[in-house]
């Protein structure tokens, strides 16, 4: 059974009406069949109208949709021979980050991604996609392996942020993220990153220092969540809610279109009309096409030039003045 967001309720109602007509009507009744065709056209037009005019806050809700495909869903569709590797060789394994080697078509990649988990039990096991320091250290260990064996890296970003718990801080959360940023900036192998849903703060950036950065059409990427931003700016004036979250989402410029305009990302990967959660296979195919096209370009570059361009790419982000 599909889960519909609040702004999708008109779609749900129309779908329900169509299904009821089909269930209780006579297939030979031309009048009913004509009415069904009219409703189906109305449904297509309604979907197109809603999803072509989404607000940033609505994009955020789609990015967090409980039925949206996660990293392991994409990995199973992208690669049929994926072998997952575990552990940071220092403390433990972190299930909120998965990684291993697998082929996309005929190219072997190291694929690393955040994993949120489906259902209460798995979400607790995966810590809701919020990595501990050992998750980032595991990711870096695997990226060093990829560099050693001259294998390109693909990262799939989907996290609300790094876990802010006391244990994570005691084990060096900030240091683990900072080391990833530094080491990824100079890895001598192509790196391609895709924000598949929610890219939150340093927890996302720790897997996002790449030669090519893409976002799925209904994903978000930001230094803070709309809720966190709203709480900092407006909670002192009383309770906050969806209106403030929507205001914050608009101000943060979290959508793929905004980030493409700011030259933070390289391109937007299209999704099925109503989002990736409606058609996993098409979404995965679109990711595969973008990743392989990027790799075809990057593999021709001299490695020293590749690293230099990656460094310059991130140094030019943002506007600042020296006094």
């Amino acid at each position: 059974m599909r889960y519909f967001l609040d702004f999708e309720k008109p779609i749900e109602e129309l779908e329900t009406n169509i299904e009821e007509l089909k269930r209780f009507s006579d297939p030979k009744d031309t009048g009913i069949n004509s009415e069904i065709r009219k409703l189906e056209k109305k449904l297509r037009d309604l979907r197109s109208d809603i999803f072509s005019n989404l607000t940033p806050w609505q994009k955020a809700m789609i990015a967090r949709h409980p039925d949206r495909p996660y990293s392991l869903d994409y990995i199973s569709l992208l690669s049929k021979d994926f072998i997952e590797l575990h552990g940071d060789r220092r403390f433990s394994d972190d299930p909120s980050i998965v990684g291993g080697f697998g082929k996309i078509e005929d190219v072997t990649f190291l694929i690393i991604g955040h994993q949120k988990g489906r259902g209460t039990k798995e979400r607790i096991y995966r810590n809701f996609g919020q990595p501990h320091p050992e998750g980032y250290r595991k990711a870096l260990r695997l990226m060093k392996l990829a560099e050693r064996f001259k294998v390109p890296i693909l990262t799939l970003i989907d996290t609300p942020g790094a876990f802010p718990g006391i244990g994570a801080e005691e084990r060096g959360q900030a240091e683990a993220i900072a080391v990833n940023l530094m080491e990824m900036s100079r890895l001598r192998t192509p790196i391609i990153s895709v924000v598949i849903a929610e890219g939150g703060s340093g927890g996302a950036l720790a897997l996002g220092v790449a030669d090519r950065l893409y976002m799925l059409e209904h994903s978000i990427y930001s230094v803070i969540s709309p809720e966190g931003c709203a709480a900092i700016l407006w909670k002192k004036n009383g309770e906050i809610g969806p209106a403030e979250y929507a205001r914050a989402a608009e101000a943060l410029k979290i959508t793929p279109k905004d980030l493409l305009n700011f030259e933070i990302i390289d391109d937007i990967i299209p999704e099925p009309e109503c989002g990736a959660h409606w058609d996993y296979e098409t979404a995965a195919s679109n990711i595969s096409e973008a990743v392989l096209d990027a790799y075809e370009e990057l593999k021709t570059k001299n490695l020293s030039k590749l690293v230099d361009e990656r460094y310059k790419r991130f140094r030019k982000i943002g506007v600042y003045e020296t006094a």
Side-chain angles (χ1 to χ4, degrees), residues 45 47 63 66 85 114 166 183 189 210 257 286-287:
D45 292 342
R47 284 175 178 164
L85 302 175
H114 300 95
I166 292 174
E183 294 291 347
T189 192
K257 185 177 179 181
N286 292 346
I287 290 174

Side-chain angles (χ1 to χ4, degrees), residues 15 40 92 111 156 167 219 240 257 295 305:
E15 278 195 356
E40 287 175 336
S92 72
I111 309 174
L156 303 175
S219 62
I240 57 173
K257 185 177 179 181
Y295 176 65
K305 182 180 179 183

Side-chain angles (χ1 to χ4, degrees), residues 131-280:
H132 293 81
E134 48 271 23
Y136 295 116
R137 290 173 180 140
K138 172 174 71 172
L140 182 56
R141 179 178 75 83
L142 299 184
M143 287 189 277
K144 290 283 191 178
L145 273 179
E147 180 185 42
R148 183 181 306 167
F149 294 112
K150 298 178 172 58
V151 173
I153 297 168
L154 168 62
T155 68
L156 303 175
I157 296 170
D158 182 16
T159 179
F163 185 59
I166 292 174
E169 297 295 344
E170 288 175 341
R171 295 193 301 278
Q173 184 73 286
E175 182 266 352
I177 292 173
V179 169
N180 271 34
L181 302 183
M182 177 181 68
E183 294 291 347
M184 286 186 77
S185 72
R186 59 195 188 192
L187 281 174
R188 294 176 66 83
T189 192
I191 306 174
I192 302 164
S193 294
V194 181
V195 181
I196 58 173
E198 186 177 14
S201 193
L205 189 58
L207 296 186
V209 181
D211 302 297
R212 295 293 179 270
L213 175 60
Y214 301 106
M215 290 179 70
L216 284 180
E217 183 180 357
H218 300 310
S219 62
I220 59 173
Y221 196 31
S222 176
V223 296
I224 191 172
S225 69
E227 296 93 329
C229 175
I232 291 170
L233 294 179
W234 302 305
K235 194 169 185 178
K236 62 185 177 183
N237 297 325
E239 291 300 314
I240 57 173
E244 287 75 23
Y245 303 155
R247 182 181 170 192
E250 179 68 39
L252 285 167
K253 306 300 180 187
I254 60 178
T255 68
K257 185 177 179 181
D258 289 324
L259 293 165
L260 185 62
N261 289 337
F262 292 139
E263 299 183 353
I264 304 296
I265 66 171
D266 294 282
D267 207 353
I268 301 168
I269 299 175
E271 294 187 31
E273 185 179 39
C274 296
H277 55 285
W278 285 68
D279 186 348
Y280 284 25

